[in-house]
Amino acid sequence: MGLSGKTLQTAQLLLVVLPAFVLFGYNQSGVGGLLSLRDWNNNFPEINTTDFKGAEKSNHSTKQGAVVATFTIGALFGALSCSWIGDILGRRKVIFGAAVLTLIGEILQCTSFHLAQFVVGRFILGWGVGALSATVPVWQSECSSSANRGKHVVLDGCFISLGYLLEAWINLGFFEQDNLPLQWRIPLAIPTVISLIPLLTVFLIPESPRWLVNKGRIEEARESLCAFKGLSLHDPEVSAEISGIELALEETGRSAAKISDIFTNGKDKLFYRFSLCIFLQFLQQMCGSNLISTYSTIIFQQGLGMNSETSRILSGGALTWKFFSCFVAFFTIDRFGRRKLFMFSGVGMASCMLALAVASSFPKENRSAQITSAFFVFLFNFFIPIGFLGANFLYCTEVAPTRLRVPMAGISTANHWLWNFVVNMVTPVAIDTIGWRYYLVFLIISAIIPPIVFLFYPETMGRSLEELEMMFTEGKSITAIVRTSRKPLMGGLMPDDLSEKGKVVDEEYIKQG
């Protein structure tokens, strides 16, 4: 493209990252607001819960949950597949292939007249979104500097939330018009346009310099790094960073060569780091994030007894508020750090779930309880994006070692989609059967976030990916690593001879012309 520096980073953000994560949010929540539409239920009577009662309604609720969750099963396999193909194909080729899959899935969905076609389309779409969710944050992290890596990657959460709010208002807009088939077919067709953007532009952005170094393509890595930093090919800073990447690969080369090594600890603390990623992605789903985003219309309509139009308006308002709340993390992630945001978010979400459970326990006819419940849905949407809508993807890419960054991110993201599937499967039945008690599960899980993060999660703010690698390998124990990470940065953690090595490499590069 001929772009470099901040201009290139902005192009990467707008042309690839933004559409990828808008697709994530839009398609994940894209069906929740359609489930009570008349033409939808006429086309898919097997999952119609509006016109049935008793055992038959319960049976349809289970099927409905399974159909909605087909997307997350596809996403699970899509994220998991990146563990094997991500480092073989590179970041850009995986993103291109994933965008193609999302386009195919969206076309199958919006043209469906039978449930089987819809399910197949939803699975393929999920596979593409899962691959994007595992690969794009890694690509961003590997192309960003330590000073702004947090802001760059946490924007993923803003874009996911943008997808949620677009879906909510588009669904409401088409709900208000009279052509019944178009009420759901057009909202499902709109993301096909979004899928075309990364498909057409991803190869205009340079490949990850860290992946290129890992493949021994040093000169291409130097060119890529120069482009992202806006520096000349022989700048000492570029040489020093390339040397740091090579050193980190040399240090971890023997112990991190196979995916199976993730499940061993050893000097590199791989299993500890993997556990941090797995548990963080579990928390992201089981704190109630997907419950509120995907089923907000159902919560307002069935759980709180509001009418169909009011439910959709409130759902759109809640998701719009969530989008604006995302920018709290954008402005604080590189100032206060990852740990403080995780803990603050956990306390806030637990408080909201407690209040939501209490307010929802009153009869649906109680207007004051309805208003209170709606208020805490909105307040929950303030707390969730601060720590658990983009920062979780960021953190997993930061603690993973260079050679296993994609496999570790892929498996942990697959775990994210696994629990997403559980929530999608259980929620329709839970709201219909146990009602307000369902929120107690999310209350308990949100409440354990602050102590778990305080004890076991090291701070990653302000350090390069290679410095974080050394922090883990040189730490004597988990408590020592956490304690070290909380200390102010004093010139970094890189070896003293690294800058000198960079100068030598740079001199050799100049001699070679």
Side-chain angles (χ1 to χ4, degrees):
M1 289 181 71
L3 303 178
S4 64
K6 290 185 178 180
T7 308
L8 177 61
Q9 293 172 12
T10 303
Q12 181 191 41
L13 203 64
L14 297 180
L15 297 177
V16 180
V17 180
L18 186 150
F21 281 96
V22 167
L23 288 173
F24 181 130
Y26 191 104
N27 288 303
Q28 178 173 277
S29 61
V31 174
L34 308 177
L35 298 175
S36 59
L37 294 176
R38 172 49 47 200
D39 192 69
W40 172 275
N41 287 323
N42 290 342
N43 274 272
F44 308 122
E46 306 95 325
I47 57 173
N48 179 3
T49 60
T50 305
D51 303 320
F52 296 90
K53 294 182 179 180
E56 196 165 7
K57 180 178 181 179
S58 178
N59 182 40
H60 284 202
S61 292
T62 304
K63 290 180 180 178
Q64 185 186 94
V67 170
V68 173
T70 305
F71 172 85
T72 60
I73 290 294
L76 189 157
F77 284 106
L80 207 56
S81 67
C82 293
S83 302
W84 287 274
I85 65 171
D87 277 330
I88 296 172
L89 298 179
R91 315 312 184 221
R92 297 186 302 174
K93 288 181 181 177
V94 172
I95 292 169
F96 178 84
V100 171
L101 289 175
T102 62
L103 183 62
I104 294 170
E106 287 152 359
I107 292 171
L108 288 173
Q109 270 194 166
C110 69
T111 59
S112 295
F113 283 93
H114 300 286
L115 191 61
Q117 180 184 337
F118 183 82
V119 168
V120 170
R122 194 145 179 82
F123 180 83
I124 294 172
L125 172 59
W127 191 295
V129 170
L132 289 173
S133 68
T135 307
V136 173
V138 172
W139 190 41
Q140 282 179 276
S141 288
E142 292 181 335
C143 297
S144 301
S145 66
S146 58
N148 58 19
R149 185 176 62 240
K151 285 184 177 181
H152 279 191
V153 183
V154 85
L155 276 173
D156 297 353
C158 299
F159 299 149
I160 292 172
S161 194
L162 177 60
Y164 287 148
L165 79 87
L166 286 175
E167 173 273 331
W169 290 116
I170 288 170
N171 280 359
L172 176 62
F174 283 94
F175 173 75
E176 297 292 347
Q177 59 87 47
D178 298 328
N179 189 315
L180 298 185
L182 296 185
Q183 286 183 340
W184 63 274
R185 291 191 185 276
I186 296 299
L188 292 179
I190 284 173
T192 57
V193 179
I194 303 173
S195 292
L196 290 172
I197 300 172
L199 196 152
L200 296 174
T201 61
V202 67
F203 289 111
L204 300 177
I205 313 293
E207 182 56 271
S208 159
R210 286 169 172 82
W211 180 79
L212 290 168
V213 171
N214 194 14
K215 294 300 178 183
R217 295 156 62 176
I218 307 300
E219 293 309 312
E220 291 177 61
R222 180 185 286 270
E223 291 172 5
S224 173
L225 197 60
C226 288
F228 280 110
K229 285 183 171 292
L231 300 173
S232 64
L233 284 172
H234 50 78
D235 191 285
E237 182 182 338
V238 173
S239 298
E241 188 156 344
I242 292 290
S243 299
I245 298 169
E246 290 182 289
L247 180 64
L249 287 169
E250 290 170 8
E251 290 290 323
T252 60
R254 292 184 298 276
S255 59
K258 304 185 297 294
I259 293 179
S260 59
D261 289 335
I262 288 174
F263 303 99
T264 63
N265 226 16
K267 176 187 175 184
D268 297 322
K269 319 291 189 303
L270 293 179
F271 185 68
Y272 165 50
R273 294 153 79 172
F274 180 58
S275 299
L276 294 176
C277 299
I278 286 288
F279 194 64
L280 192 64
Q281 296 288 29
F282 163 80
L283 292 174
Q284 198 277 338
Q285 282 301 305
M286 295 308 293
C287 64
S289 173
N290 193 43
L291 165 74
I292 299 298
S293 297
T294 304
Y295 287 103
S296 55
T297 302
I298 301 298
I299 290 170
F300 288 128
Q301 188 170 345
Q302 296 182 16
L304 301 179
M306 299 179 182
N307 66 53
S308 183
E309 186 175 35
T310 302
S311 298
R312 283 171 170 78
I313 292 172
L314 282 174
S315 177
L319 293 172
T320 303
W321 169 244
K322 183 177 185 177
F323 170 69
F324 288 116
S325 299
C326 289
F327 290 96
V328 175
F330 177 78
F331 290 110
T332 57
I333 189 75
D334 284 323
R335 181 178 181 182
F336 298 113
R338 291 41 161 166
R339 283 165 49 89
K340 289 180 180 178
L341 265 60
F342 288 145
M343 291 188 283
F344 178 76
S345 185
V347 170
M349 291 187 298
S351 304
C352 290
M353 281 297 174
L354 175 61
L356 193 57
V358 173
S360 301
S361 66
F362 288 91
K364 295 179 182 179
E365 295 76 22
N366 189 319
R367 185 165 177 79
S368 298
Q370 279 190 340
I371 294 171
T372 302
S373 297
F375 170 77
F376 280 105
V377 168
F378 274 76
L379 190 58
F380 182 90
N381 277 343
F382 169 76
F383 285 109
I384 179 67
I386 291 176
F388 288 90
L389 199 56
N392 52 302
F393 291 106
L394 164 69
Y395 194 88
C396 291
T397 65
E398 290 180 320
V399 300
T402 303
R403 286 186 183 274
L404 287 173
R405 186 165 290 123
V406 167
M408 199 174 283
I411 296 172
S412 62
T413 305
N415 181 61
H416 159 97
W417 290 110
L418 172 64
W419 293 104
N420 190 310
F421 169 76
V422 171
V423 172
N424 279 337
M425 277 293 295
V426 170
T427 295
V429 179
I431 290 176
D432 191 45
T433 53
I434 62 175
W436 64 270
R437 297 172 185 84
Y438 187 44
Y439 300 119
L440 298 178
V441 176
F442 303 103
L443 160 63
I444 294 168
I445 293 172
S446 296
I448 69 171
I449 292 173
I452 293 292
V453 169
F454 182 81
L455 293 172
F456 299 107
Y457 280 74
E459 184 55 71
T460 58
M461 178 182 69
R463 293 181 168 92
S464 72
L465 298 178
E466 287 67 46
E467 288 173 329
L468 290 171
E469 179 67 41
M470 293 187 179
M471 184 178 75
F472 280 103
T473 56
E474 294 177 4
K476 302 296 183 183
S477 64
I478 292 174
T479 54
I481 293 171
V482 173
R483 189 167 54 249
T484 299
S485 74
R486 294 167 61 189
K487 295 178 180 178
L489 276 170
M490 300 296 290
L493 296 170
M494 298 300 287
D496 294 335
D497 64 342
L498 183 57
S499 58
E500 190 61 36
K501 181 179 178 181
K503 292 177 184 176
V504 172
V505 173
D506 191 50
E507 288 171 4
E508 291 177 356
Y509 182 79
I510 294 171
K511 289 177 182 177
Q512 292 171 4

